[in-house]
Amino acid sequence: MIKHLLSAADLDAAAATLVLDTAAEMASLAGREVKKLPALRGRTVVNLFYEDSTRTRISFEAAAKRLSADVINFSAKGSSVSKGESLKDTALTLQAMGADAVVIRHPASGAPHRLANWVEGSVVNAGDGTHEHPTQALLDAYTMRSRLKRLAGLNVAIVGDVLHSRVARSNVQLLHTLGAKVTLVAPPTLLPVGVGAWPAATSYDLDAVVPDSDVVMMLRVQRERMNQAYFPSEREYARRYGFDVPRMRRLPEHAIVMHPGPMNRGMEIAPEVADSPRSTIVEQVANGVSVRMAVLYLLLGGKA
Amino acid sequence: MVDRIAHQILEKTSGAAETVLLGIPTRGVPLARRLAARIATFEGAEIPVGVLDITLYRDDLRLQATRALGHTEVPPGGLDGRRVILVDDVLFSGRTVRAALDALKDLGRPRTVQLAVLVDRGHRELPIRADYVGKNIPTSIEESVRVSIAEHDGTDAVVIKNRGAQT
Amino acid sequence: MITNLGEITVEDGVIVSINPDKKGPKIALPGLVDLHTHLREPGREDAETVESGSRAAALGGYTAVCAMANTSPVADTAGVVEQVWRLGREAGLVDVQPIGAVTVGLGGEQLAELGAMADSAARVRVFSDDGHCVSDPRLMRRALEYVKAFDGVIAQHAEEPRLTTGAQMNEGEVAARLGLVGWPAVAEEAIIARDVLLAGHVGARLHICHVSTAGSVELIRWAKSKGWRVTAEVTPHHLLLTEDLAVDYDPVYKVNPPLRTEADVLALRKGLQDGTIDCVATDHAPHSVEDKECEWAYARPGMLGLETALAIVVQTMGPQWDRIADWMSVAPAKIAGLTGHGHALQPGQPANITIFDPDVRWTVDPTALASRSRNTPYAGMELRGRVEATYLRGEPTVLNGKATR
């Protein structure tokens, strides 16, 4: 197994499948009397969060605690970090505290890569800038596999602000590794220059992509992008790229609709879609804990 | 040997009422299934069979590269108040059984827990003994004992080898 | 000294004879001139001082460097440029020629007192807001026109700021994958296109700093074909390194303009070879450890260059000693108006001489550099050829590869 999980590209098909299979075993815990496993007893997992993300932090915290690890939450707010301590100095502090793993969320792309140079333990990327969010991609893949019983050959449309999306980058990598076919759908302004090199097709036309999609994954669109001239108005964006009821009706019978959350209801996704049986949004949250347990176990469970 | 164990179980448990067999992966699982089948033949009693993966409870987890998890399957009806018989192929140091007892504790509260093994080769490192033994094989610590099960290995066999020997 | 030209004899700071019968393997070049150096003093003496930067320059074979204006305070008054000039004289290792800011505080809004700087003891002729682009076209036009009065030149950092907000590296496949905001080639090319047109229109001298894209080379070639007074420089790192180095997010490879693609590197070499690009300038940009040992987005852009430039140019362009003398001494001295530098080695010329051993191999060790900073992108790289000695008006500033003071 790998030492760090910095990018979805760190996982080959065998390793990614092992994570998903392990997550399935971890998920069976949820129904047990005692929802705790001793696998990481005596190990310390630090959640180092430079961005507010209660959802992701709680998910990692629950995962680590169910594996009996000691969890230290290190939030950038109200700590020495906000007084300007450098990431490197923070890393050395965590090192001195005996962190076996650091789960890092950071607004700067590549911060986990830097951190991995400065700590001896494992580093798990919990979202870095506009780069990657590999555990989100793993839980998305897990959710698709649970619902549709396979990943290879699935047509997955990822729709919205691809340019700024770490979820999209990780999903493109992982889904490609696992044999799914990804189509990125966005206005041209929200696709990065150089996207042609990604293992994914691109389209500007959501309606053309919907009928052939097994999975539609909607990305969060930040309203402030409008002021940066990425699109003219919320209304126009919602009309061209929002997932509404008529588009949902054109999906194949079995297809599912995903969203990494938090949602802008009425912007990229209509409330009726978010609350429909096709929506996996609540499952994604539950699966997040299992997948993160699997990742922490596989990174930390064996010989260091 | 499996017949022998089946008879021992029936004898000691007066017909294997309220009994559950839990196989310990890998080879304990097909053994548990065979035992259940024999007991069904002899007594006509259907004994539930489950699987107990002990990977996360092993005391040597940290000493080796990360192990893949096996699948744990608790039979319908659960374990609470029942007699659980753990089934494994070889009893050696006793550490696997200790891990199984720890794993069991997180799954429920059986009335009693017993242990059935195909081979007891001695050299215990913990105060653990088997309730049902197919065969006691005194071995040297230098030797290795490998059980092959048709369902898993294609053939039924018990092979004792000197560890130093070239294979 | 015995060189590839013959035995050079120096008296009173002047070359008196070159005996072509006594030739050797060491290469003699006219003392190198750097048109683009950040010495960081005043303001960031933790990263570099005029003295430490001068020593690095001498070790790199330089006898003159042009010190960029983005110090703190900014070199936008006669007082600051004279201070830098005086510090250079005191260090005495190279001639330090201050560059003056084009606009007050590099703010891009109001012209600095260009004439006062030109008339000061520092005799400033090159003006630049380097680090920032003079992006207002009207202000740029006025600056180009104004410095004609004293044969000045505006050295433009070509970067359209509206196209590079938050930019971190070259816009393209690598940036897209790494999730780093792209710095598009067009942001450089748009400014160059505009500025060559302006320079042509008002008949003024324009110098383009650190050209980094194939498109920029095309535009400069076109401007020169019109006969406009446009010159350009390229850095050693843009002649060698590419954007792929960013993959591990090590900010030692973060620089502005950013490292580009292989195709750009090849176009820059070709542009230098065919004369479209006039010279090589280091853009030596020292940064403290704290400004580099951090997240990529938070790191300051810039690389050390003085001590490695000549070896990198030889590696990328081949041992074309006459051309290298032109690119690294004659042309930059002419652009900067440094009359005491950049003369072919001949009897009667000032003895500003660089002796280069083309065969010695050495591994770049950041801690062994004379610069106060460590941000060299060549750490651990084996280079071929090293400066053995540097003479400033006959006085050795470097002997046997070591600074004399």
Side-chain angles (χ1 to χ4, degrees):
Chain A
M1 192 60 194
I2 53 173
K3 178 169 184 196
H4 307 294
L5 182 60
L6 304 177
S7 157
D10 294 340
L11 300 169
D12 60 17
T17 305
L18 177 62
V19 174
L20 301 185
D21 292 345
T22 306
E25 291 303 324
M26 295 295 185
S28 68
L29 261 183
R32 279 176 36 169
E33 195 91 338
V34 180
K35 293 181 179 53
K36 209 170 168 90
L37 291 163
L40 300 184
R41 259 184 64 203
R43 302 247 164 158
T44 301
V45 175
V46 175
N47 287 324
L48 178 58
F49 275 56
Y50 287 83
E51 277 183 345
D52 283 331
S53 174
T54 311
R55 304 158 61 100
T56 306
R57 186 182 54 73
I58 287 176
S59 183
F60 270 105
E61 187 172 349
K65 284 184 169 166
R66 284 188 187 176
L67 291 170
S68 307
D70 295 319
V71 179
I72 298 172
N73 288 313
F74 197 136
S75 159
K77 288 230 164 69
S79 72
S80 52
V81 173
S82 55
K83 291 173 202 137
E85 183 176 79
S86 73
L87 179 61
K88 186 175 183 184
D89 286 340
T90 302
L92 297 179
T93 304
L94 301 181
Q95 186 61 45
M97 284 160 58
D100 296 297
V102 181
V103 175
I104 178 174
R105 162 67 69 103
H106 200 289
S109 299
H113 292 71
R114 300 295 289 151
L115 185 67
N117 293 325
W118 300 321
V119 294
E120 282 168 30
S122 293
V123 174
V124 179
N125 183 356
D128 63 328
T130 55
H131 177 228
E132 285 216 36
H133 193 354
T135 59
Q136 176 72 41
L138 284 163
L139 79 87
D140 289 340
Y142 181 86
T143 305
M144 289 177 215
R145 199 178 74 165
S146 312
R147 279 278 191 123
L148 303 172
K149 307 302 167 205
R150 68 188 171 110
L151 286 167
L154 285 184
N155 287 319
V156 181
I158 300 179
V159 185
D161 186 358
V162 175
L163 178 63
H164 300 96
S165 176
R166 48 196 175 206
V167 175
R169 280 174 180 75
S170 286
N171 263 296
V172 167
Q173 288 284 358
L174 186 72
L175 289 170
H176 170 70
T177 302
L178 293 171
K181 285 180 281 184
V182 178
T183 303
L184 300 167
V185 185
T189 46
L190 290 175
L191 287 172
V193 167
V195 74
W198 293 10
T202 55
S203 171
Y204 308 137
D205 184 355
L206 180 55
D207 288 314
V209 173
V210 164
D212 295 323
S213 298
D214 302 302
V215 178
V216 174
M217 184 185 297
M218 303 306 297
L219 301 173
R220 178 180 169 78
V221 175
Q222 293 181 344
R223 289 169 202 272
E224 55 265 30
R225 302 288 179 219
M226 194 177 78
N227 304 324
Q228 298 158 345
Y230 288 105
F231 51 88
S233 69
E234 281 180 41
R235 207 173 58 173
E236 175 159 328
Y237 182 87
R239 199 164 54 226
R240 290 176 70 86
Y241 296 100
F243 211 73
D244 54 13
V245 174
R247 286 189 170 117
M248 182 166 69
R249 291 212 182 98
R250 289 199 292 278
L251 276 177
E253 195 70 27
H254 63 274
I256 57 173
V257 179
M258 308 181 74
H259 194 297
M263 289 180 280
N264 293 307
R265 285 173 183 257
M267 175 86 168
E268 72 265 5
I269 191 163
E272 300 84 347
V273 176
D275 299 330
S276 81
R278 286 172 180 282
S279 157
T280 62
I281 294 161
V282 177
E283 277 161 72
Q284 284 171 269
V285 175
N287 293 340
V289 177
S290 306
V291 161
R292 287 168 181 131
M293 286 174 74
V295 167
L296 289 174
Y297 169 65
L298 292 169
L299 291 180
L300 295 183
K303 192 155 74 173
Chain B
M1 282 197 283
V2 176
D3 285 357
R4 232 181 102 188
I5 302 172
H7 282 301
Q8 286 178 35
I9 291 174
L10 285 169
E11 212 169 290
K12 264 207 187 171
T13 62
S14 357
E18 282 296 292
T19 298
V20 173
L21 298 182
L22 282 184
I24 299 173
T26 312
R27 289 172 186 79
V29 179
L31 269 179
R33 296 224 168 86
R34 283 201 205 178
L35 265 177
R38 294 303 157 83
I39 289 168
T41 321
F42 298 152
E43 202 74 1
E46 289 291 330
I47 303 189
V49 179
V51 180
L52 182 63
D53 178 52
I54 57 134
T55 307
L56 293 171
Y57 295 85
R58 296 179 72 108
D59 62 6
D60 61 351
L61 212 50
R62 305 274 166 84
L63 304 178
Q64 300 179 37
T66 310
R67 296 159 182 267
L69 297 192
H71 184 62
T72 292
E73 206 181 294
V74 176
L79 306 174
D80 289 359
R82 300 173 117 175
R83 177 199 322 273
V84 168
I85 301 176
L86 299 169
V87 183
D88 204 358
D89 53 352
V90 180
L91 179 59
F92 182 23
S93 68
R95 287 173 192 272
T96 302
V97 177
R98 186 204 58 79
L101 291 170
D102 284 350
L104 205 51
K105 158 191 94 184
D106 286 351
L107 288 173
R109 189 183 180 280
R111 187 166 54 81
T112 42
V113 181
Q114 297 181 325
L115 173 62
V117 296
L118 197 64
V119 175
D120 182 348
R121 60 163 293 192
H123 304 291
R124 213 75 74 245
E125 292 166 7
L126 293 169
I128 280 170
R129 60 164 182 78
D131 298 273
Y132 314 104
V133 179
K135 193 164 179 55
N136 281 296
I137 305 180
T139 56
S140 146
I141 193 84
E142 302 301 321
E143 289 165 327
S144 79
V145 177
R146 257 193 90 89
V147 172
S148 300
I149 304 277
E151 292 90 320
H152 196 267
D153 307 294
T155 170
D156 285 341
V158 176
V159 180
I160 303 167
K161 250 189 267 178
N162 196 311
R163 276 184 210 185
Q166 294 287 320
T167 51
Chain C
M1 56 206 105
I2 312 278
T3 72
N4 60 325
L5 305 176
E7 186 177 32
I8 303 174
T9 309
V10 172
E11 265 171 37
D12 297 331
V14 174
I15 297 171
V16 290
S17 69
I18 300 177
N19 178 358
D21 297 332
K22 286 187 164 176
K23 285 189 180 172
K26 307 287 167 67
I27 307 300
L29 296 167
L32 307 186
V33 175
D34 191 17
L35 204 45
H36 194 143
T37 311
H38 295 274
L39 293 178
R40 301 289 182 231
E41 189 176 3
R44 285 306 299 265
E45 291 82 354
D46 59 322
E48 197 79 289
T49 62
V50 171
E51 187 187 337
S52 66
S54 292
R55 193 170 293 117
L59 286 164
Y62 289 89
T63 52
V65 299
C66 297
M68 271 298 169
N70 61 340
T71 48
S72 178
V74 171
D76 57 1
T77 62
V80 179
V81 293
E82 285 188 355
Q83 182 197 352
V84 172
W85 177 75
R86 202 167 47 246
L87 287 167
R89 297 250 298 191
E90 284 165 13
L93 286 154
V94 291
D95 287 346
V96 174
Q97 173 58 54
I99 290 174
V102 178
T103 65
V104 174
L106 309 177
E109 291 186 346
Q110 186 190 344
L111 284 184
E113 290 190 349
L114 308 178
M117 290 187 272
D119 294 341
S120 73
R123 292 182 33 83
V124 176
R125 289 296 177 271
V126 181
F127 299 89
S128 180
D129 275 2
D130 182 62
H132 301 265
C133 182
V134 181
S135 65
D136 177 343
R138 188 179 68 163
L139 192 70
M140 184 61 183
R141 175 202 165 137
R142 299 288 183 240
L144 285 165
E145 285 177 305
Y146 192 80
V147 299
K148 283 163 71 177
F150 34 86
D151 195 29
V153 59
I154 305 295
Q156 176 69 296
H157 171 115
E159 173 183 355
E160 169 53 58
R162 295 285 287 163
L163 290 176
T164 56
T165 308
Q168 296 296 329
M169 69 171 294
N170 182 45
E171 183 166 81
E173 289 174 11
V174 181
R177 182 155 44 90
L178 296 182
L180 291 172
V181 181
W183 197 131
V186 64
E188 175 172 309
E189 293 153 7
I191 293 292
I192 293 177
R194 182 198 76 179
D195 286 355
V196 297
L197 290 167
L198 285 174
H201 179 59
V202 300
R205 287 177 60 202
L206 169 70
H207 178 73
I208 313 289
C209 297
H210 41 52
V211 172
S212 71
T213 78
S216 297
V217 176
E218 281 299 304
L219 287 163
I220 295 162
R221 192 174 284 128
W222 173 75
K224 286 191 165 183
S225 76
K226 297 277 186 188
W228 298 337
R229 301 165 73 195
V230 175
T231 55
E233 72 192 29
V234 62
T235 69
H237 49 268
H238 286 112
L239 288 174
L240 179 65
L241 309 177
T242 60
E243 59 176 356
D244 312 272
L245 290 165
V247 291
D248 292 326
Y249 297 93
D250 184 346
V252 79
Y253 301 113
K254 179 173 172 175
V255 65
N256 191 15
L259 300 178
R260 305 283 187 185
T261 66
E262 187 70 30
D264 291 306
V265 165
L266 296 176
L268 291 168
R269 291 183 190 177
K270 186 162 175 290
L272 184 61
Q273 187 67 40
D274 71 18
T276 303
I277 296 171
D278 302 83
C279 63
V280 175
T282 64
D283 196 4
H284 177 83
H287 287 298
S288 67
V289 171
E290 307 84 80
D291 285 333
K292 282 292 189 184
E293 290 247 290
C294 60
E295 297 85 333
W296 178 283
Y298 305 160
R300 306 272 309 264
M303 301 174 165
L304 299 184
L306 286 169
E307 293 174 71
T308 46
L310 184 51
I312 299 294
V313 171
V314 176
Q315 179 182 331
T316 53
M317 302 304 291
Q320 316 176 61
W321 306 116
D322 289 348
R323 297 302 307 278
I324 288 171
D326 196 38
W327 296 327
M328 299 187 76
S329 178
V330 179
K334 198 168 159 204
I335 293 165
L338 294 173
T339 50
H341 293 269
H343 300 284
L345 297 177
Q346 281 166 4
Q349 296 293 359
N352 296 321
I353 305 169
T354 299
I355 306 295
F356 184 71
D357 182 340
D359 295 319
V360 63
R361 291 175 186 275
W362 59 293
T363 301
V364 180
D365 172 5
T367 63
L369 298 175
S371 172
R372 285 208 169 176
S373 294
R374 302 280 170 264
N375 55 308
T376 172
Y378 312 112
M381 195 184 283
E382 191 188 72
L383 300 182
R384 190 168 167 187
R386 192 165 196 176
V387 172
E388 187 177 281
T390 309
Y391 295 86
L392 176 63
R393 287 180 287 276
E395 289 299 317
T397 55
V398 172
L399 280 178
N400 298 319
K402 302 227 169 356
T404 55
R405 57 190 148 119

